[in-house]
Each structure stands twice: as structure tokens, then as C-alpha cells.
Amino acid sequence: SYSLFSHVKPIDFARILRLVWRRALIDLLVPHRSCQLRRAERHTKPLFLLVAFMSRLNRQRLRPAHRFRRDRPLDPPTPNRAQGSMRRRFLLLHNPVAGLRRHRLVRRVVRELEERGAEVVMLRLWGLSQHLSQEALERIVKFDRFDALIAAGGDGTIRALAKALGPNASVPIGVIPAGTGNVLARELPLPSRPHEVAEMLLNGPETEIPGALAGEEPFFLMAGVGFDGEIIAGLDLELKRRIGKAAYVWPTLKALFTRPKPFCVLIDGVPFAASWIVGAKARRYAGGFTIAHDIAIGDARLIAVLFGATTRRGRLLEMIALGLGLHPRLKSVRTLACQRIEVPDKGLPVQIDGDDDGLTPIAIGIGGGNLRMIVASR
């Protein structure tokens, strides 16, 4: 039998992809000899090449003419911009696990930025802290001359990006509050409407937020040992992505039904007993709850909140009081200003900025560099 396509050779898709990838590398790397990359290193940085390739495609794609304002032409990027000038080029790192139904906010902010003449390169990463190193991020920023990085996610996404940038960041971090708690966005505060977020990213001033260290991990909001560490350790991230805050219900109930066990805590070297401790660098905790009244996020100090309940009923009472902002009135709760918190006991769960950080022993203190952030104009 004769087939119309019997003489046609099958398409070698692998060969086509190799040719396209080789041509993309040539187009990307040859015009940018000033980026000081060794030829051998260019093939060992897939994340660096991926972002650069996406950026080049984004610059070359056709956009409708009405998407740009004629009074704001897109100028070519310059390495050193004057303070206060409009930012033009952004690298957006999006954590798809953060928050629920907030992807629409990210898309609207990107649309607002593009309509105002900015250029946004989006990179979606699951597990930002595991896939993004400081060296790779520095190469990306220098290679494509981004004016700022955008963290689209929650407090954990911001912390992971700040950790990847390091203490001496060359570009600031902007935030699209698309997480579950958004404690940092509430503290500053940051806008949540798309046009206001876009205006902040383009023209907002910069500020520095002092950081703290839990072991060797930086954080900017809070670190907890005990009860909240158990909740974060038992949290299903896939379920959190699907149903949002409701995913915390079962881990919270499970932790409440566990009998509290006191452990030793050293506050600036002075021993105390507690069954749960939070080292707070901000007033708010777990979204809209107020855990420390006499601290601001710009302060270079900690507030140690020690919860001393030894029964399930006492823990429930502490939780209700925390929700109402009345926990300092309880006899089992103590609040102390300090510079260093140590938990020498082993095997207790730890959380920092809403992310699991393993087990104790651990030391918590001020340090680790500042977070350079874009904030709203006042």
C-alpha cells in the first residue's frame, strides 16, 4: 500500500532544539563580552542562561503600540542610575506555592508596569532558597543590568531572595504581596492595589531593614521555637497552595492537642523556662496578630516573648489572648527586650519568617546584614 507520507523523514525534534539552543547562546553571549564570564563557566550556569534567554526574548517580542505611553519612552538600561529616577528593568521571582488566588495580582502588576514603559522578566521557582545561589543571582543582575528585583510571594519568598542577594546587595527588592500572611507588607506598610504597587516599584524610595540570624539563617520578622515550629513542620505546602490559610488548621489543632513541655531559654545569658518562645523583630505575627507592642521593624533589636503554659488548656488560653492582643496580661507570658536568645535543648522545632528551619539547639541574635527594600512614598 502507498502512503502519501511514506517518503517523508520523521522530524528530529532533539536536533532542532539543539540548534535553537546553540543559536540562542551565540546571540546571548557574543554581544556581552564585558560581563567577564569565563567561557567554561557559561555552560555551567543553566539558571543564569535561562534568565538571560528569557530576557532577550522579552525584549524582542512584539507588543501592541497602545501598551506604551509616548511620554515615557523606554530608555536603554544604564549601569548607574541617579537616585530617584524611574526604574525600568525588573527581574520578577514568583513563588507559585505562596498564597492562594493571588496570581491575578501578579499579572495585573506586571501589566501596569509594562503599560508604563517598564520591562519585566518573570522567573517562577518552586523552592526559591534551594534553586537560587548568591553567585548565580549576582551574575544575572550584572549581565542584564536589572534596576530591581521583585519578590512575588509571602514573607518566606522575601527572606529567601534577601538571603540569595546577600548583605551587600547591588539592587533593591520590591514586593508584590502575594503570600498567605504578608506580615512584612503589613508592617511597612506596602500597597496591595495593582496600580499602587506598580507606582511604588517604579518610583518608590528605598529603605534598609536590619536583619537577624537564627543560627546561620537570616530573618527579618520573627523566629519561633516550640509551638509555632510544630505547626510549620507539620504544614503541607501543596495543600497550602491549594486552599491557603485553611491548610494551617490541622497542624494547629495537632499542636494544641500536644501537651506543652518546658525547656530552657537563655535571654542575653540569663536562664528562663518556657514551653514556646518567639523572637520578634516586628509588631505583627502570623498575619494581623500583634505579638510585640514596643518594637518597629526598623529597630536593631529583638523582643523575646516567652509563653510558659504547661497544659493544653493553658496553651489554648494563650492562643486566644494572642489573637486578641491581650497575651502580655497573662501570668504565663513574659516579654523581654534583648539582643540574643539561645535554646540549648535538642530536638525542638524551629520556624523563621513562616518557614521550617529544622531543630534546636539554636542561637538567635541581631546581625546578618540589612534588607534593602523599595517602599511606598509617604
Side-chain angles (χ1 to χ4, degrees):
S1 62
Y2 175 77
S3 174
L4 180 62
F5 300 101
S6 60
H7 65 287
V8 179
K9 294 182 179 180
I11 300 175
D12 189 353
F13 288 102
R15 181 172 178 273
I16 293 175
L17 289 176
R18 285 196 302 270
L19 291 175
V20 171
W21 180 247
R22 186 181 305 169
R23 182 51 188 254
L25 290 180
I26 293 174
D27 290 343
L28 285 169
L29 298 176
V30 171
H32 298 277
R33 296 186 183 275
S34 61
C35 64
Q36 314 252 331
L37 289 177
R38 293 193 300 270
R39 194 175 291 272
E41 291 179 340
R42 294 172 182 172
H43 300 278
T44 60
K45 300 294 182 184
L47 179 60
F48 164 72
L49 295 175
L50 175 61
V51 175
F53 182 50
M54 292 169 61
S55 174
R56 190 174 182 84
L57 290 180
N58 191 58
R59 289 197 299 269
Q60 292 181 350
R61 69 181 183 180
L62 296 178
R63 296 186 177 92
H66 68 275
R67 295 288 291 277
F68 290 95
R69 296 185 179 180
R70 294 185 178 181
D71 58 337
R72 291 182 179 177
L74 181 60
D75 298 328
T78 56
N80 297 315
R81 293 185 178 273
Q83 184 69 21
S85 63
M86 179 181 291
R87 303 175 185 92
R88 296 291 190 180
R89 307 200 67 240
F90 299 91
L91 174 61
L92 190 154
L93 298 168
H94 183 207
N95 179 13
V97 179
L100 176 68
R101 297 178 182 175
R102 303 304 297 272
H103 305 289
R104 184 180 301 175
L105 173 63
V106 178
R107 291 195 298 267
R108 288 181 177 178
V109 172
V110 171
R111 188 182 305 121
E112 287 281 345
L113 290 171
E114 291 182 342
E115 287 178 353
R116 301 185 188 202
E119 183 179 354
V120 182
V121 178
M122 180 183 291
L123 182 63
R124 293 184 179 179
L125 290 176
W126 283 262
L128 183 62
S129 58
Q130 288 82 16
H131 292 87
L132 198 61
S133 67
Q134 182 175 350
E135 182 183 0
L137 192 57
E138 287 178 355
R139 291 180 182 275
I140 292 170
V141 172
K142 291 180 180 179
F143 180 84
D144 252 330
R145 298 180 180 178
F146 289 107
D147 297 322
L149 302 182
I150 301 176
D155 302 314
T157 305
I158 300 170
R159 189 191 72 83
L161 184 53
K163 177 185 175 182
L165 274 176
N168 301 316
S170 59
V171 293
I173 296 177
V175 176
I176 300 177
T180 305
N182 298 318
V183 176
L184 184 62
R186 295 169 184 264
E187 282 288 311
L188 288 171
L190 299 180
S192 58
R193 296 179 180 178
H195 67 280
E196 294 178 351
V197 175
E199 178 63 26
M200 176 192 70
L201 295 174
L202 289 169
N203 299 308
E206 298 177 11
T207 188
E208 291 193 355
I209 300 173
L213 288 173
E216 297 182 354
E217 291 290 324
F219 70 95
F220 302 94
L221 296 170
M222 86 291 286
V225 179
F227 178 71
D228 57 354
E230 294 177 7
I231 295 175
I232 299 300
L235 182 64
D236 188 334
L237 294 180
E238 178 61 25
L239 187 63
K240 175 188 172 184
R241 185 183 69 84
R242 292 178 179 275
I243 65 175
K245 293 182 180 180
Y248 288 87
V249 173
W250 171 244
T252 302
L253 291 175
K254 187 177 179 181
L256 278 173
F257 281 109
T258 303
R259 186 180 182 85
K261 296 181 180 179
F263 53 86
C264 178
V265 183
L266 300 177
I267 308 296
D268 288 338
V270 181
F272 293 88
S275 57
W276 172 28
I277 182 169
V278 176
K281 267 204 84 279
R283 294 180 66 251
R284 289 174 177 81
Y285 173 86
F289 303 121
T290 300
I291 193 168
H293 296 274
D294 53 348
I295 192 173
I297 195 169
D299 296 345
R301 61 191 181 100
L302 290 170
I303 297 293
V305 185
L306 290 82
F307 298 87
T310 56
T311 63
R312 300 181 184 90
R313 181 180 178 182
R315 174 68 78 230
L316 180 60
L317 181 61
E318 289 177 345
M319 289 293 295
I320 295 174
L322 176 61
L324 297 174
L326 302 176
H327 57 284
R329 301 185 183 182
L330 297 180
K331 294 182 179 180
S332 62
V333 178
R334 301 187 65 173
T335 303
L336 303 170
C338 63
Q339 291 290 322
R340 186 174 176 85
I341 303 170
E342 297 179 61
V343 181
D345 294 2
K346 296 182 179 180
L348 300 171
V350 181
Q351 67 86 18
I352 52 174
D353 288 354
D355 287 340
D356 184 20
D357 192 40
L359 303 173
T360 57
I362 196 168
I364 303 169
I366 296 297
N370 295 343
L371 174 61
R372 184 181 168 192
M373 280 200 61
I374 303 171
V375 295
S377 301
R378 296 181 180 179

